[in-house]
Amino acid sequence: NAGVMQNPRHLVRRRGQEARLRCSPMKGHSHVYWYRQLPEEGLKFMVYLQKENIIDESGMPKERFSAEFPKEGPSILRIQQVVRGDSAAYFCASSPGLAGNEQFFGPGTRLTVL
Amino acid sequence: KQEVTQIPAALSVPEGENLVLNCSFTDSAIYNLQWFRQDPGKGLTSLLLIQSSQREQTSGRLNASLDKSSGRSTLYIAASQPGDSATYLCAVCNQAGTALIFGKGTTLSVSS
């Protein structure tokens, strides 16, 4: 059973470009979470999604950031008009069934904004 | 607002020692608590999950306890090995079960 997959593993963007980060949950998992780890800081929750629904987006910046988890395909975290402060490691996690279950993390996408 | 604190921030021990990592949280209304391991440049590996109704969980050389009323958890590592060197993260799940709130971690170095 493959774990949580994220791609790309490394992404370089220039200021003003768009970044798209993909996450495929573990087989049988229907809940996806996104977290961000800024340099020298802890992991911060961004958003929690189930298929076709955003359940909790309390940690998402109000502008430029969006997330989706369509019926088919991976979850996408999209950052528009990236700025240097967006440089971070972005982790996706998945869990089965009900909220509050154990979360399993992917290897992360390291975004560098030049 | 829930805050999670881990002490110490860094720890160096010789191989074979037993050690305790501490985690405290400010709001006792949690769904569960999870301990993770993170190796440099890598993702997180789940070590133990303790539900809010439980007091402890064990896996191999690892034992985690939870005292929800006092807002504390400890991770006990027995007979430490160089391969245990990593950053250990404590995370509490909010009461709604929708988000993990992380501490900043304890970076452990075990020398042979």
Side-chain angles (χ1 to χ4, degrees):
Chain A
N1 186 9
V4 178
M5 293 189 291
Q6 292 187 247
N7 66 80
R9 296 290 306 277
H10 300 273
L11 182 62
V12 179
R13 287 286 178 266
R14 297 190 180 279
R15 282 180 296 170
Q17 292 184 319
E18 179 179 288
R20 284 188 179 232
L21 289 62
R22 296 176 191 79
C23 169
S24 296
M26 288 179 69
K27 187 176 180 181
H29 287 193
S30 57
H31 297 223
V32 165
Y33 313 78
W34 286 94
Y35 295 84
R36 176 166 68 172
Q37 188 172 38
L38 292 165
E40 307 304 322
E41 292 192 22
L43 279 128
K44 304 290 185 188
F45 167 77
M46 299 181 74
V47 63
Y48 162 44
L49 311 100
Q50 296 176 19
K51 287 281 187 181
E52 301 184 280
N53 286 300
I54 296 174
I55 307 301
D56 182 351
E57 57 181 344
S58 58
M60 284 282 269
K62 298 299 181 197
E63 297 178 349
R64 304 186 297 108
F65 285 72
S66 62
E68 62 176 7
F69 189 16
K71 187 176 180 181
E72 301 291 339
S75 175
I76 306 287
L77 179 68
R78 181 183 179 203
I79 312 172
Q80 295 178 290
Q81 299 177 330
V82 296
V83 301
R84 289 217 173 108
D86 296 333
S87 295
Y90 292 82
F91 291 95
C92 167
S94 73
S95 70
L98 298 173
N101 277 347
E102 186 173 6
Q103 294 186 24
F104 296 87
F105 279 73
T109 293
R110 279 151 184 83
L111 172 66
T112 301
V113 179
L114 302 178
Chain B
K1 178 187 171 187
Q2 178 75 270
E3 292 183 0
V4 181
T5 303
Q6 291 188 248
I7 294 173
L11 183 62
S12 292
V13 300
E15 183 177 7
E17 274 204 10
N18 303 324
L19 54 100
V20 174
L21 308 182
N22 296 293
C23 172
S24 62
F25 47 96
T26 55
D27 186 348
S28 62
I30 64 171
Y31 203 107
N32 58 43
L33 183 145
Q34 235 176 307
W35 282 94
F36 295 89
R37 167 186 174 139
Q38 185 175 28
D39 292 283
K42 301 290 178 69
L44 280 67
T45 301
S46 179
L47 298 173
L48 289 163
L49 170 72
I50 311 177
Q51 299 294 348
S52 62
S53 58
Q54 296 176 319
R55 300 285 291 188
E56 66 177 337
Q57 281 286 344
T58 298
S59 176
R61 294 183 294 109
L62 305 179
N63 175 276
S65 67
L66 174 63
D67 184 342
K68 199 173 72 164
S69 60
S70 68
R72 297 185 184 200
S73 176
T74 61
L75 179 66
Y76 175 82
I77 303 176
S80 58
Q81 303 171 357
D84 295 331
S85 299
T87 296
Y88 290 80
L89 297 168
C90 168
V92 298
C93 187
N94 63 4
Q95 197 169 32
T98 59
L100 291 177
I101 299 99
F102 282 85
K104 291 191 175 181
T106 294
T107 299
L108 173 65
S109 176
V110 181
S111 56
S112 55

